Amino acid sequence: MSNELPLILAGPLLRKTTPNEIVFWLTTSKPLQGEFHLYDDTNSMPIYQAPLAECHQIKVGEHAYVVLAQFKSEFPQDQALSYDFVTPYGDLSELVPDLTYQDEQRPTFKISTKADYILHGSCRNPHHFSEDALVTADRKVEAQSILERPDLLMMSGDQIYADHVAGPTLDAIEQAIELLGMPNEVLPNAPVPDSASLYAHPDCYFGRDKILPHDASNESLLGKWLPSRRRPIFSSRESENHLISFAEFFVMYLLVWSPTLWRYIDAKRIPNQSYQIAGTTLPLKWQQQWQKEAPIIDNFVQGLGNVQRLMAHVPTYMVFDDHDVTDDWNLTIGWEKAAYGNPFAHRIIGNGLMSYWLCQGWGNEPDNFNQEFLDLAYNSITTLEPKAQDDFVQHLYKFEQWHYTIHTSPKVVVLDTRTRRWRSESKMNKPSGLMDWEALIEFQQELMHQDKVIVVSAAPMFGVKFIEALQRGMTWAGQPLLIDAENWMAHPGSANTLLSIFTHTKTPTNFVILSGDVHYSFAYDIKLRFRRNSPNIYQITCSGFKNQFPEPLISICDIMDRMLYSPRSFLNLFTKRKRLRITKREPEFAGAKRLVNQSAIGELKLDDHGKPSEISILTASGKVIGFLPTDSD
């Protein structure tokens, strides 16, 4: 069957686009050959050509090559462009017939020097019951002219859920690994010797919580009251199908960005009555779970053609959050010591980072990765030889350039809030700061001498105070992992440094913060309380693309936050944000809620001064919900 695989398995994703550089990411079943052609709207002949064989290509499996196509020249800006990959097997319109919009001959895009219309969001869980907002966004872009389209799509974390995988999805992953001929991986200090043994293990499906690494040390690294023996290192409460091998992480990306491999998946290979997989009959509980998940996954797959098309037309930037690797990744220093001190956990996290770089990080800013980095990547990924893989993983752990800047107007500063943590010095299980002092100072330098800026932080810099108070309570109780006690205000050092940046006299006049993570959407207007000429700070959160917060819990939190933490509440004096006056924007729907609990993609439009002219979300059902300006606007 592998010989029948089409050339393009996923992509092309349009990634970094500037007047001097255009970057694409795609995965092919054979080495990519031919030419890249770029066209403008007034010329039927290419205005730029480049050989595809000279692109970076990494062989991931016998029938899988990851291609990073980076082209540098002087390109037209702020005008309609189109592109083509002309290969011996056909051009893009033949290879991926559904990639173009109506009346297009080729995929179209623009290289924008501005960032005044942005799509943004995070948290895309394939088996969540809600619809996929990326599908809805594609349908909106289809109706827009090229110059009316968003300048970029910002995906601010949890592009995959590596720690929460549906049974049918894991089954598809294992089938795809075989289709692609991906190499076997040795798993150090694991209950199984290698990935081949993992896939044949009786606990491979809905039993991986038994296979995943546990911490048996006597130190209280993971929580104050947890038993001293066999404590799970990975804290996800739904880790029964947690991804483990590099192949699993990598294939997950192909299956959430493209419909192609799904066409070769046998969704009915498990008999309806026996439910045997990996030689074992699934318990009734998991049979029922599988039956529940299967139609949701089927519906998700139906929209993947739209998702593939959207990301072929709109420049797409990404950054990781915890679920791209594992829940609560680097949340506390105790978690880090337990995880990185265990060879098996060390490898799983490394596999998540390897796949993140290969599928997400590389395309954001290719020049951040020098030849030493690329040599280690090629040597490791091509063979998965244990020593080479360990060397690359170790290099990834030390790497400190996951953050990047998009040089538009306004400048977009994308933060790494996962790998450069401000560790607690007092307690092992106290939440770390999302960025350490050195990283925050680097961030401040990016803001200097700017009159307007957009900052992308996976987690909201200014979240819902009542929820943060609950998280603080669980931290005091020694259980930060139980309620994901992760926010910018949880660590005094990072919180105070961040607030000092906002109160600095050279802070930009208009400061927009985009975030996701929390599975609901809201917008705040923020001013400094004790300064006459305060900068305008806007916190805009949209989450998730395909996820929601549990009801009625979110409604209760919304009510309690409005009751206890209104702008005039004296309780604000007991928070780290007492120097700030935060006003919640009202969403445009009936009721008093400030938190919108619907799967959606955010839409932000800015005026020439970098001040929001429109803050809204496009829900997965197609409804636009705006957040109304406050009196301070």
Side-chain angles (χ1 to χ4, degrees):
M1 186 180 290
S2 59
N3 293 329
E4 301 172 9
L5 289 174
L7 178 66
I8 296 181
L9 303 176
L13 274 65
L14 179 61
R15 300 300 315 274
K16 181 182 180 183
T17 55
T18 74
N20 308 107
E21 185 178 3
I22 303 175
V23 177
F24 295 89
W25 178 96
L26 63 157
T27 298
T28 60
S29 61
K30 304 175 182 69
L32 189 60
Q33 297 177 331
E35 285 193 330
F36 169 74
H37 290 179
L38 182 70
Y39 301 81
D40 69 17
D41 212 24
T42 61
N43 197 333
S44 60
M45 298 297 291
I47 61 172
Y48 174 82
Q49 297 173 244
L52 293 172
E54 295 181 6
C55 299
H56 294 288
Q57 302 193 43
I58 298 183
K59 185 177 182 180
V60 181
E62 288 300 315
H63 310 288
Y65 297 78
V66 173
V67 181
L68 199 287
Q70 180 185 27
F71 307 107
K72 292 187 176 182
S73 185
E74 296 294 324
F75 300 116
Q77 59 195 47
D78 300 316
Q79 71 176 63
L81 301 170
S82 64
Y83 66 90
D84 207 346
F85 288 81
V86 181
T87 80
Y89 307 96
D91 59 22
L92 270 180
S93 63
E94 297 170 296
L95 296 169
V96 193
D98 297 329
L99 196 65
T100 54
Y101 291 124
Q102 189 175 9
D103 300 327
E104 285 185 347
Q105 291 183 321
R106 299 173 290 266
T108 55
F109 72 108
K110 64 178 178 179
I111 298 174
S112 183
T113 55
K114 294 184 177 181
D116 53 15
Y117 178 19
I118 294 178
L119 297 180
H120 66 100
S122 69
C123 305
R124 187 161 169 258
N125 183 349
H127 65 277
H128 190 270
F129 62 81
S130 60
E131 298 294 320
D132 189 346
L134 290 184
V135 174
T136 311
D138 171 72
R139 291 171 181 153
K140 180 164 187 173
V141 170
E142 182 178 22
Q144 297 172 320
S145 70
I146 298 172
L147 297 182
E148 290 175 331
R149 291 177 190 165
D151 299 307
L152 61 93
L153 165 62
M154 175 55 63
M155 304 174 79
S156 59
D158 299 341
Q159 278 65 258
I160 64 170
Y161 274 69
D163 55 341
H164 187 197
V165 181
T169 304
L170 185 59
D171 183 34
I173 288 171
E174 309 308 351
Q175 291 188 55
I177 289 171
E178 185 176 353
L179 279 171
L180 301 179
M182 298 192 68
N184 189 33
E185 176 184 350
V186 175
L187 300 173
N189 292 73
V192 291
D194 52 31
S195 56
S197 303
L198 169 66
Y199 310 149
H201 195 279
D203 288 323
C204 180
Y205 289 82
F206 297 105
R208 292 193 172 193
D209 48 331
K210 305 183 190 79
I211 298 175
L212 290 170
H214 289 65
D215 175 50
S217 69
N218 291 323
E219 298 180 47
S220 181
L221 299 180
L222 298 172
K224 185 184 293 185
W225 295 313
L226 288 175
S228 61
R229 290 192 237 170
R230 298 292 295 163
R231 293 167 292 187
I233 291 174
F234 295 144
S235 56
S236 174
R237 292 176 292 279
E238 297 162 307
S239 61
E240 296 88 3
N241 289 326
H242 197 302
L243 302 183
I244 290 176
S245 70
F246 166 73
E248 290 177 339
F249 277 94
F250 168 71
V251 168
M252 182 73 169
Y253 284 103
L254 305 189
L255 293 177
V256 300
W257 286 347
S258 169
T260 302
L261 281 177
W262 287 99
R263 299 176 187 134
Y264 299 85
I265 301 302
D266 180 7
K268 305 296 184 183
R269 74 170 184 163
I270 300 176
N272 289 334
Q273 295 180 348
S274 63
Y275 280 87
Q276 283 205 345
I277 195 157
T280 301
T281 301
L282 291 180
L284 180 59
K285 171 186 175 181
W286 300 123
Q287 293 182 31
Q288 294 170 341
Q289 180 74 8
W290 191 296
Q291 295 261 20
K292 180 181 177 182
E293 293 169 343
I296 299 175
I297 294 298
D298 290 343
N299 186 57
F300 172 77
V301 172
Q302 292 300 311
L304 287 178
N306 297 87
V307 175
Q308 184 179 28
R309 188 171 65 170
L310 173 68
M311 295 196 289
H313 287 78
V314 178
T316 303
Y317 295 84
M318 308 175 186
V319 71
F320 46 46
D321 204 10
D322 54 347
H323 296 289
D324 294 292
V325 176
T326 188
D327 194 20
D328 296 332
W329 179 30
N330 294 343
L331 193 147
T332 69
I333 189 173
W335 188 96
E336 289 190 52
K337 285 181 175 292
Y340 298 121
N342 180 294
F344 187 27
H346 190 279
R347 170 61 63 79
I348 295 171
I349 299 165
N351 285 337
L353 263 181
M354 285 172 61
S355 63
Y356 169 78
W357 169 75
L358 187 65
C359 299
Q360 298 194 60
W362 198 5
N364 292 323
E365 184 56 86
D367 290 343
N368 275 357
F369 308 98
N370 59 23
Q371 195 58 49
E372 178 192 5
F373 189 109
L374 294 177
D375 288 344
L376 286 167
Y378 277 75
N379 292 337
S380 169
I381 292 172
T382 302
T383 65
L384 294 186
E385 190 275 324
K387 175 65 165 59
Q389 191 173 0
D390 287 343
D391 289 345
F392 185 40
V393 167
Q394 201 57 40
H395 191 75
L396 290 171
Y397 283 155
K398 296 178 181 178
F399 188 71
E400 293 190 341
Q401 284 185 276
W402 296 116
H403 59 285
Y404 58 96
T405 298
I406 306 171
H407 294 282
T408 48
S409 177
K411 175 193 287 189
V412 182
V413 181
V414 184
L415 303 179
D416 167 11
T417 60
R418 279 288 159 192
T419 73
R420 300 180 67 182
R421 292 280 174 123
W422 194 326
R423 279 84 183 176
S424 172
E425 297 180 1
S426 59
K427 294 181 180 179
M428 285 288 186
N429 57 356
K430 187 175 180 180
S432 298
L434 300 194
M435 291 170 63
D436 64 20
W437 183 85
E438 188 176 72
L440 284 166
I441 296 304
E442 291 175 14
F443 166 49
Q444 184 176 33
Q445 292 303 309
E446 286 285 349
L447 307 180
M448 301 297 283
H449 311 297
Q450 302 291 318
D451 61 339
K452 53 187 177 181
V453 69
I454 299 170
V455 176
V456 179
S457 166
M461 288 185 169
F462 305 101
V464 177
K465 290 182 182 179
F466 178 74
I467 294 177
E468 291 181 355
L470 292 178
Q471 292 172 329
R472 187 162 57 250
M474 292 305 295
T475 297
W476 287 339
Q479 297 295 326
L481 302 179
L482 288 181
I483 198 171
D484 195 16
E486 191 163 36
N487 59 73
W488 278 91
M489 299 298 119
H491 184 279
S494 61
N496 292 329
T497 305
L498 179 70
L499 293 173
S500 295
I501 292 173
F502 285 109
T503 56
H504 195 281
T505 54
K506 294 184 179 180
T507 293
T509 304
N510 291 308
F511 206 126
V512 174
I513 306 159
L514 300 180
S515 60
D517 179 53
V518 292
H519 303 171
Y520 49 85
S521 302
F522 62 91
Y524 292 165
D525 291 359
I526 303 166
K527 295 278 191 178
L528 305 183
R529 285 185 183 274
F530 308 113
R531 185 185 297 179
R532 180 173 299 175
N533 297 316
S534 169
N536 301 309
I537 305 170
Y538 304 91
Q539 165 71 65
I540 304 167
T541 299
C542 180
S543 176
F545 288 137
K546 196 177 189 299
N547 219 330
Q548 295 175 201
F549 203 89
E551 287 283 8
L553 180 58
I554 188 63
S555 296
I556 295 170
C557 291
D558 191 354
I559 293 169
M560 295 302 295
D561 187 69
R562 285 186 284 113
M563 287 177 55
L564 299 176
Y565 293 102
S566 70
R568 295 178 177 83
S569 171
F570 75 95
L571 291 178
N572 291 310
L573 299 176
F574 299 95
T575 70
K576 296 184 180 70
R577 292 180 276 178
K578 51 183 172 290
R579 288 178 283 173
L580 305 177
R581 180 181 178 85
I582 298 176
T583 306
K584 305 175 180 70
R585 289 198 174 208
E586 294 188 10
E588 290 180 308
F589 58 65
K593 288 186 177 181
R594 301 294 186 273
L595 307 179
V596 181
N597 191 28
Q598 297 186 44
S599 292
I601 186 167
E603 290 191 276
L604 169 67
K605 294 182 180 180
L606 304 175
D607 63 20
D608 291 339
H609 302 289
K611 188 175 181 179
S613 58
E614 180 183 324
I615 299 173
S616 62
I617 59 173
L618 175 63
T619 70
S621 63
K623 183 178 180 181
V624 175
I625 300 175
F627 289 88
L628 301 173
T630 62
D631 294 339
S632 61
D633 273 16

